[in-house]
Amino acid sequence: MTESKIFLIGVSGPSSSGKSTLARLLRHVLPNSFILHEDDFYKPETEIPVVNGIEDWDCPEAIDFIALRAAIDYIKKNRKLPDNVHYKEDQNSLGTPPVSNEEADEIKKQVLGENSVAENTEFCIVDGFLMFNDDVITKQLDIKFLLRAPYESLKKRREARSGYATIEGFWVDPPGYFENIVWPGYVKAHKHLFVGEDLEGPLAPYAIQQDIRTASAIDSHMKDMLKWALEVVAEKV
C-alpha cells in the first residue's frame, strides 16, 4: 500500500487580493483538503504594534510566526490541523463567491480530469498575507501561489469589508487604514520578491529560486486564477 502524502499549498498576496476565496475554492475541488489560516495566528490585541496611535494588524510583528511554523510542521507530520489553535477566520464573510461550486467543479474536471489525484493524497491550503517574507515558512510549503491586484482594486475591496473577527472581538478599519498602514506594510515586507522592488513587475531571482508562482495577468478573474492554480497543482502532484 502506498504511503499517504500531504501537499502544503501556500496562497499569499496583499489584503483583498482573493487569497481566502481561492483557498476555499481549492478546498472545495481538491479531495482530502483543509485550510490553515495565517490570520488565526495573530498575537493578542495587547501585543499588536501601534503606529501613530493606530493598531497595525498588517505587519509581521502582529503574527505569531513561531506558532504558525509549529502548526505547519505538525500538519506535515500528522496530516491534520493541530487542536491547540483557536480557529475563527472562517467566520469572516467573503460575500458572494465570484465562482460557484458548479463552475469550480467544471474547471477541476477540465484541468485534473475525473480521477487524477490519488486517494491517499491530502492537501493543506495555508492562506495568509505574510507567507513569503518568512524563509522558514516559505521552505515548509510545497506549492506557493502569490496573488496580485492593482492598488486601487485592493483599496476598494478592503474598504468595502465590514471588518474582521479577532481573538478578542471584531476589528473595523479606521479611515485611511489601507493607504497608511496596510499597503505600505505589504510593500515593505514583499518588495524583495520583485525585480526593482516593483510589486507589479516580474518576480526577482530569489522568488523564482523558491518556486513562488504568480499568475501572468495581474488581477485575473477568479475562474482564471482557479484554473491556473489547479494547473500548477497538477504539475506538482
Side-chain angles (χ1 to χ4, degrees):
M1 182 177 179
T2 305
E3 184 179 353
S4 62
K5 164 73 174 177
I6 186 165
F7 288 88
L8 275 79
I9 303 174
V11 180
S12 195
S15 174
S16 302
S17 59
K19 300 181 302 297
S20 295
T21 298
L22 180 60
R24 293 181 187 185
L25 285 168
L26 288 172
R27 179 175 60 185
H28 171 73
V29 298
L30 292 175
N32 310 316
S33 60
F34 55 93
I35 299 176
L36 180 73
H37 293 284
E38 182 185 65
D39 282 6
D40 285 326
F41 292 85
Y42 273 111
K43 295 176 181 177
E45 290 187 26
T46 55
E47 298 180 28
I48 300 300
V50 176
V51 178
N52 297 325
I54 300 174
E55 294 174 358
D56 182 359
W57 292 85
D58 287 78
C59 64
E61 293 77 17
I63 301 292
D64 186 347
F65 281 103
I66 294 175
L68 179 55
R69 293 170 194 156
I72 294 173
D73 190 51
Y74 178 91
I75 291 167
K76 276 182 169 288
K77 294 176 180 176
N78 298 279
R79 300 193 298 278
K80 65 177 184 177
L81 291 170
D83 296 326
N84 62 343
V85 178
H86 177 60
Y87 301 104
K88 47 77 190 160
E89 176 58 23
D90 272 343
Q91 298 174 23
N92 287 322
S93 172
L94 300 180
T96 303
V99 180
S100 68
N101 286 344
E102 293 74 20
E103 290 172 322
D105 290 336
E106 181 59 31
I107 293 170
K108 174 191 175 183
K109 185 177 178 180
Q110 292 172 8
V111 178
L112 298 180
E114 295 289 352
N115 300 297
S116 58
V117 178
E119 291 183 2
N120 61 345
T121 301
E122 299 174 78
F123 300 91
C124 173
I125 302 120
V126 188
D127 158 31
F129 71 105
L130 286 170
M131 304 301 301
F132 306 139
N133 70 308
D134 185 277
D135 288 339
V136 174
I137 292 176
T138 301
K139 290 178 171 62
Q140 285 179 307
L141 300 169
D142 300 301
I143 302 172
K144 303 152 195 175
F145 296 128
L146 181 61
L147 310 189
R148 295 192 285 176
Y151 171 88
E152 289 300 332
S153 296
L154 296 169
K155 183 175 183 291
K156 182 178 179 180
R157 294 173 194 166
R158 174 84 182 212
E159 292 177 346
R161 291 187 172 182
S162 58
Y164 300 84
T166 67
I167 296 174
E168 288 91 350
F170 196 76
W171 165 264
V172 177
D173 289 350
Y177 191 75
F178 182 86
E179 57 265 41
N180 295 323
I181 301 291
V182 176
W183 184 248
Y186 184 79
V187 171
K188 181 179 179 181
H190 294 85
K191 59 186 180 181
H192 69 289
L193 297 177
F194 298 92
V195 173
E197 300 184 348
D198 176 9
L199 270 66
E200 294 192 359
L203 291 173
Y206 166 79
I208 295 172
Q209 182 183 28
Q210 297 301 320
D211 201 22
I212 294 171
R213 305 293 185 96
T214 187
S216 57
I218 295 177
D219 204 20
S220 302
H221 189 278
M222 187 54 65
K223 287 183 182 179
D224 297 323
M225 285 207 286
L226 178 60
K227 182 176 183 291
W228 159 70
L230 287 177
E231 288 172 345
V232 176
V233 170
E235 170 195 331
K236 294 288 188 177
V237 175

